[in-house]
């Protein structure tokens, strides 16, 4: 009996099914009414009582091995495949893999960068974790300027230590690094992520993206800036676009202006996107303050420059009339898929 048990065990272990009916055949051969293991159970009744314990255990293990093997073979799918006939229709076209789409912020960033690249601007990037000097001090922020306060800035180190480390609140810090390191004339565009300690709402977020530009050379004038921005606005929003400038204030530019473009939805008639004004605000700009040039080692007597900065999300909102800024950060595929055709 012992040899017979071992023989069947070895057979179970080595058994392989080529088709579904092989599994059923094996089940009948081992466990069927007239199967080998069933026969051994019959034989078991006749063995000497002192051997019953040993053989009982062995037989139970054998039965379990056979049942497990059958289950395992069935689970391997051979059964289903065989009963359905051909496994796969190899002539069927494959299932399309879902394709991701470009993020609207990336699409607009590249569009802006491409426009300025055509005007001869280089692209510069800098650290998101910056020091106070490059974000504020070199940009002529007075020591008590509200933008340095806790409500605007995420500090990484203690805000009261000298030159604390912080998350940049604008990419103007990259422009400072360019003025420090690049040879004049400088014509750069600085796209990047910025951080401000603001409550998240439909119109504000603590993380957003900017593109800022800087041009420093001999004899750069306000008229040059106006022309560059007008050309940009026409490339971005269409050839009929008009711009207007309103006086504004930034510590690092003098004079400074806020730029509006004619509403590309109602073409100046007034709609709810432009709140009836016919104009949409798109960027801030100005002539680089002489103090800022001086701080980076550029002689303001000889050189002048202009700078501008815009929020990418804002431009994208105007372009596609997205009403809630939070859509850009939630990565909801239903939202992102809407931009698929804009690749
Ligand atoms: N740095 C400004 C901001 O973040 C934008 C700006 C850049 C304004 C350059 C003027 C000139 O709001």
């Amino acid at each position: 009996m012992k040899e017979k048990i071992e023989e069947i065990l070895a057979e179970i272990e080595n058994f392989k099914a080529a088709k579904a009916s092989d599994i059923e055949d094996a089940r009948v051969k081992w466990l069927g009414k007239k199967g080998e293991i069933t026969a051994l159970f019959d034989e078991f009744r006749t063995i000497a009582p002192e051997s019953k314990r040993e053989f009982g255990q062995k037989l139970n293990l054998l039965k379990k091995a056979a049942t497990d093997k059958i289950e395992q073979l069935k689970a391997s799918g051979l059964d289903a495949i065989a009963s359905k006939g051909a496994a796969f229709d190899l002539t069927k076209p494959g299932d399309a893999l879902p394709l991701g789409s470009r993020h609207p912020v990336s699409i607009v960033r590249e569009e802006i960068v491409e426009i300025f690249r055509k005007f001869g601007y280089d692209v510069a990037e800098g650290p998101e974790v910056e020091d106070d000097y490059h974000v504020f001090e070199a940009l002529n922020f007075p020591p008590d300027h509200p933008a340095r306060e806790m409500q605007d800035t995420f500090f990484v180190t203690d805000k009261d230590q000298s030159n604390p480390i912080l998350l940049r609140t604008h990419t103007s810090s990259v422009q400072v690094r360019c003025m420090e390191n690049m040879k004049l004339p400088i014509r750069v565009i600085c796209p990047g992520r910025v951080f401000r300690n603001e409550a998240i709402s439909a119109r504000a977020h603590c993380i957003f993206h900017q593109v800022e530009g800087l041009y420093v050379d001999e004899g750069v004038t306000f008229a040059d800036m106006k022309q560059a921005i007008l050309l940009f606005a026409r490339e971005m929003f269409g050839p009929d676009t008009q711009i207007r400038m309103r006086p504004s204030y930034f510590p690092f530019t003098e004079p400074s202006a806020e730029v509006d473009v004619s509403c590309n939805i109602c073409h100046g008639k007034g709609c709810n996107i432009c709140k009836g004004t016919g104009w949409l605000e798109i960027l801030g700009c100005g002539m680089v303050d002489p103090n800022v040039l001086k701080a980076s080692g550029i002689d303001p007597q000889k050189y002048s420059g202009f700078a501008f900065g815009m929020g990418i999300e804002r431009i994208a909102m105007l372009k596609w009339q997205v009403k809630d800024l939070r859509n850009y950060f939630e990565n909801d595929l239903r939202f992102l898929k809407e931009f698929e055709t804009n690749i």
Side-chain angles (χ1 to χ4, degrees):
M1 192 172 190
K2 201 171 163 190
E3 290 86 68
K4 186 69 189 166
I5 291 176
E6 266 153 28
E7 196 185 298
I8 303 175
L9 252 183
E11 192 186 324
I12 293 171
E13 232 165 71
N14 299 324
F15 182 76
K16 285 190 182 69
K19 49 189 189 315
S21 62
D22 290 351
I23 305 174
E24 179 57 12
D25 290 349
R27 193 194 62 81
V28 172
K29 181 166 184 272
W30 296 327
L31 300 163
K33 261 192 189 142
K34 294 187 180 137
E36 291 168 1
I37 299 175
T38 321
L40 285 176
F41 272 95
D42 287 340
E43 202 184 322
F44 175 73
R45 276 190 243 130
T46 65
I47 61 169
E50 63 271 19
S51 307
K52 278 213 155 145
R53 193 187 155 91
E54 184 195 342
F55 282 106
Q57 273 178 353
K58 283 209 162 81
L59 269 180
N60 279 332
L61 283 176
L62 179 65
K63 190 175 174 185
K64 188 170 181 317
T67 335
D68 287 353
K69 180 81 176 194
I70 303 274
E71 286 307 314
Q72 179 202 329
L73 287 171
K74 280 189 179 165
S76 73
L78 209 54
D79 206 20
I81 291 166
S83 62
K84 275 197 204 136
F88 302 107
D89 178 355
L90 296 175
T91 62
K92 267 174 91 177
D95 287 335
L97 282 174
L99 253 192
S101 52
R102 308 274 310 288
H103 196 285
V105 169
S106 308
I107 297 171
V108 172
R109 185 195 59 218
E110 270 160 42
E111 214 175 309
I112 298 169
V113 166
E114 244 351 277
I115 292 171
F116 282 101
R117 224 201 285 267
K118 276 195 276 183
F119 298 168
Y121 284 70
D122 290 326
V123 177
E125 287 185 344
E128 292 178 347
V129 181
E130 257 293 5
D131 57 11
D132 184 276
Y133 177 80
H134 287 91
V135 175
F136 296 128
E137 200 177 322
L139 287 162
N140 200 33
F141 277 79
D144 53 355
H145 193 281
R148 289 174 178 231
E149 292 265 304
M150 282 297 261
Q151 74 257 30
D152 287 314
T153 310
F154 288 114
F155 286 90
V156 174
T157 58
D158 183 357
K159 82 177 181 84
D160 296 322
Q161 76 180 55
S162 81
N163 198 21
I165 304 297
L166 41 84
L167 301 184
R168 66 182 180 196
T169 56
H170 52 185
T171 52
S172 304
S173 53
V174 185
Q175 304 180 351
V176 174
R177 290 187 177 274
C178 290
M179 287 190 280
E180 285 170 349
N181 298 317
M182 288 168 78
K183 280 225 305 257
L184 291 157
I186 296 169
R187 211 187 277 122
V188 285
I189 190 107
C190 313
R193 200 156 54 148
V194 299
F195 309 85
R196 287 185 197 178
N197 193 357
E198 302 222 21
I200 296 170
S201 71
R203 299 178 61 86
H205 207 286
C206 56
I207 302 176
F208 57 100
H209 299 78
Q210 283 189 330
V211 178
E212 296 209 357
L214 173 74
Y215 178 29
V216 183
D217 199 354
E218 284 181 58
V220 177
T221 67
F222 198 96
D224 295 325
M225 175 171 78
K226 208 169 158 188
Q227 186 64 12
I229 292 171
L230 176 66
L231 289 177
F232 161 73
R234 292 198 167 156
E235 290 276 328
M236 192 76 204
F237 297 102
D240 303 329
T241 307
Q242 302 292 331
I243 63 166
R244 74 173 182 187
M245 289 184 158
R246 287 175 288 110
S248 186
Y249 171 77
F250 300 102
F252 36 90
T253 48
E254 182 60 38
S256 308
E258 215 98 52
V259 177
D260 299 340
V261 291
S262 50
C263 179
N264 60 336
I265 313 298
C266 65
H267 302 283
K269 285 190 204 78
C271 66
N272 62 348
I273 301 292
C274 61
K275 298 203 189 75
T277 63
W279 295 97
L280 300 163
E281 185 191 322
I282 58 158
L283 56 81
C285 64
M287 301 306 291
V288 182
D289 194 290
N291 285 344
V292 173
L293 294 174
K294 230 185 285 165
S296 297
I298 297 173
D299 179 2
Q301 299 297 335
K302 192 163 172 212
Y303 292 97
S304 58
F306 65 76
F308 53 88
M310 65 194 107
I312 301 181
E313 283 82 356
R314 174 153 180 87
I315 306 276
M317 281 171 105
L318 298 178
K319 197 173 157 73
W320 289 302
Q321 288 124 63
V322 177
K323 300 228 165 58
D324 194 325
L325 188 64
R326 288 168 290 197
N327 284 326
Y328 291 123
F329 302 96
E330 281 166 0
N331 285 334
D332 184 330
L333 284 179
R334 289 166 303 178
F335 173 74
L336 297 178
K337 289 247 174 229
E338 289 182 32
F339 303 92
E340 235 167 18
T341 51
N342 290 305
I343 290 177

